[in-house]
Each structure stands twice: as C-alpha cells, then as structure tokens.
Amino acid sequence: MNAKAAIKAAFPYTIPVLTGYLFLGIAFGVLLQSSGFGFLWAGFMSVTIFAGAMQFVAVSLMTEPFAPLSVFLVTLMVNARHLFYGFSMLEKLRGIGKYKPYIVFGMTDETFTLLYSTEPPKDVSRGTFYFFITLLNHCYWIGGGIIGALLGSQLRFDMTGIEFVMTAFLTAIVVEQLRAKHNRIPCIIGLVASAICLLVFGPERFLLPAMAALIVVLTIARSPLEKKLPKQKATESETLP
C-alpha cells in the first residue's frame, strides 16, 4: 500500500485538528514548563499518554504527593468515555490487522470523530487510512506540547489560569452540542448528573461520582441513543473536507 497516497488522503481531514491541537498542545507545554518540567517531559508525556484532558490533570498530579489509588481513579473516570468510543468502532476496526493497537491507543475525542464519520478512498485501505489520521493527529499534539514547553522557558509574564484552556475548549464543545438538536441528550445527561453530584458531594469530591453516574446512565441508555447515530454521522460528515 502506497503510504504517500494514504497520507495525502488523510491529511485534509486532520486540518481542523491541526489548528486545535497546536494551540492546546502549546498551552499544555507552557503549563508543564511553568510547573518546573522541561520540554523533554512535554514530548514524553505527549507520546506515551496522548490524552489532552488527562495530561492537563497530570501536571497537577505530578506536583502533589503521590497517591496511586487517587491517580488511578481520576485517570479511569476522566478517560472513561473512551469505552463508548471502543464499542462504536468495533465493526470499523475489524480486520485492519497490525494498525489496530496504535489506532486504539490514539483514539482521542477528535480522532474518534474523524474515524467514525469518514470512509477511506477506494484506492486506500481502511487500516492505512485510519492509521495516518491517528498518526498525524498524534504528531500535531506532540509538536504543540514541545513548542509550548520551549516557549514557556522564554516567557516572563504571569501564567496563572492557563490550565483553564482545556476547560474552555470543552465548554465550547458542550455549547456546540446544545446547539445541535440531534446531539443534546448526552450533553443534558452530563450536565444534570454533574449538577446533582456537585450539590451532593461538593466541589472537591464531585468529579468521580459524576463520571461514575455518567458511565452507568449512558450504558443503560446506549441502545436508544444509538438510534440517532446515523443522522448524527451524516450531519458531521457534511462539515468535513
């Protein structure tokens, strides 16, 4: 299989991710450097973890006393949504061979959206096409993190609050979901579950119960929600290159 043809086919779909990942990666790198870690840490974490939200959380975890159980539970809950990505991609990833482990590893929110809503050209195999979409997105994130860490060592202004960039990004995603009629139910479930857990457990302890409640509710509601997927898929694919 011609790798050049696969990259050429995959790249246009990743351009929106390129712009977003460079910006968020730079913010992560700056935050990491301001916390006392160099650019090599930014590259290492981006290569091995490759989870935007969790990498931002990991920065604070690395500056606090080590608590293995807490780290495990936070990581599990923050990334629990990937369970649903895996269920949704079972058929699409069937039979792609050697590419499957890396594609599963690199299935971030944005990469999942691209893989789920696009089909490869006739002259490019599914596995190769999906592999290069995942690899390109991964490279964007790694590059952004390293650039941010290098820039952070040269910046001298107050960086307080830069960790909020991921929260702002995810808030924008929630707003877009609320504006899209076909995609409101999971978002509303998340908002209601989070609000209830915030009231019950307080701001310091609501995250883990909220994520656990979301996993249970969305698992139970999976079948009726999946009935909306064909319509959602068609709508999403119309917005891609």
Side-chain angles (χ1 to χ4, degrees), residues 2-237:
N2 190 333
K4 184 177 180 180
I7 295 174
K8 184 177 180 181
F11 175 69
Y13 291 95
T14 67
I15 292 176
V17 180
L18 167 62
T19 57
Y21 273 15
L22 282 180
F23 175 75
L24 291 172
I26 288 172
F28 163 72
V30 170
L31 174 64
L32 188 66
Q33 198 282 330
S34 67
S35 300
F37 300 91
F39 76 95
L40 291 178
W41 276 99
F44 176 74
M45 291 177 67
S46 296
V47 169
T48 58
I49 300 177
F50 191 31
M54 192 57 223
Q55 285 183 224
F56 277 84
V57 174
V59 176
S60 62
L61 293 176
M62 291 167 63
T63 58
E64 297 175 356
F66 183 52
L69 180 60
S70 177
V71 171
F72 171 77
L73 291 175
V74 169
T75 303
L76 177 63
M77 293 303 175
V78 169
N79 291 321
R81 64 192 185 280
H82 292 268
L83 292 171
F84 301 98
Y85 297 168
F87 291 144
S88 301
M89 292 296 295
L90 285 176
E91 290 300 321
K92 284 213 164 195
L93 297 184
R94 193 181 302 277
I96 64 173
K98 61 183 180 180
Y99 298 112
K100 188 173 183 178
Y102 177 71
I103 294 172
V104 170
F105 161 75
M107 198 177 297
T108 61
D109 301 342
E110 296 76 14
T111 300
F112 165 74
T113 300
L114 291 179
L115 299 185
Y116 188 83
S117 60
T118 60
E119 291 293 334
K122 294 181 179 179
D123 59 339
V124 177
S125 72
R126 181 181 300 273
T128 308
F129 181 69
Y130 287 170
F131 170 77
F132 280 110
I133 284 181
T134 307
L135 179 62
L136 286 170
N137 289 346
H138 198 177
C139 290
Y140 303 153
W141 182 258
I142 295 169
I146 293 175
I147 292 171
L150 291 173
L151 287 176
S153 63
Q154 305 300 319
L155 299 177
R156 296 294 179 266
F157 60 84
D158 186 2
M159 299 179 191
T160 303
I162 194 171
E163 65 275 9
F164 188 74
V165 66
M166 180 58 71
T167 303
F169 173 70
L170 296 176
T171 300
I173 293 177
V174 171
V175 171
E176 287 300 315
Q177 289 181 335
L178 288 173
R179 293 176 60 187
K181 294 181 179 180
H182 60 271
N183 207 22
R184 287 178 178 171
I185 296 177
C187 181
I188 292 174
I189 291 173
L191 291 173
V192 172
S194 299
I196 292 174
C197 290
L198 178 62
L199 292 174
V200 173
F201 298 99
E204 299 297 328
R205 297 181 176 86
F206 85 100
L207 179 61
L208 294 181
M211 293 301 299
L214 281 173
I215 293 173
V216 172
V217 173
L218 290 177
T219 299
I220 295 173
R222 179 188 171 195
S223 294
L225 289 176
E226 281 186 339
K227 294 178 181 179
K228 295 180 176 292
L229 286 178
K231 179 179 179 181
Q232 178 179 349
K233 178 180 175 182
T235 304
E236 289 175 344
S237 63

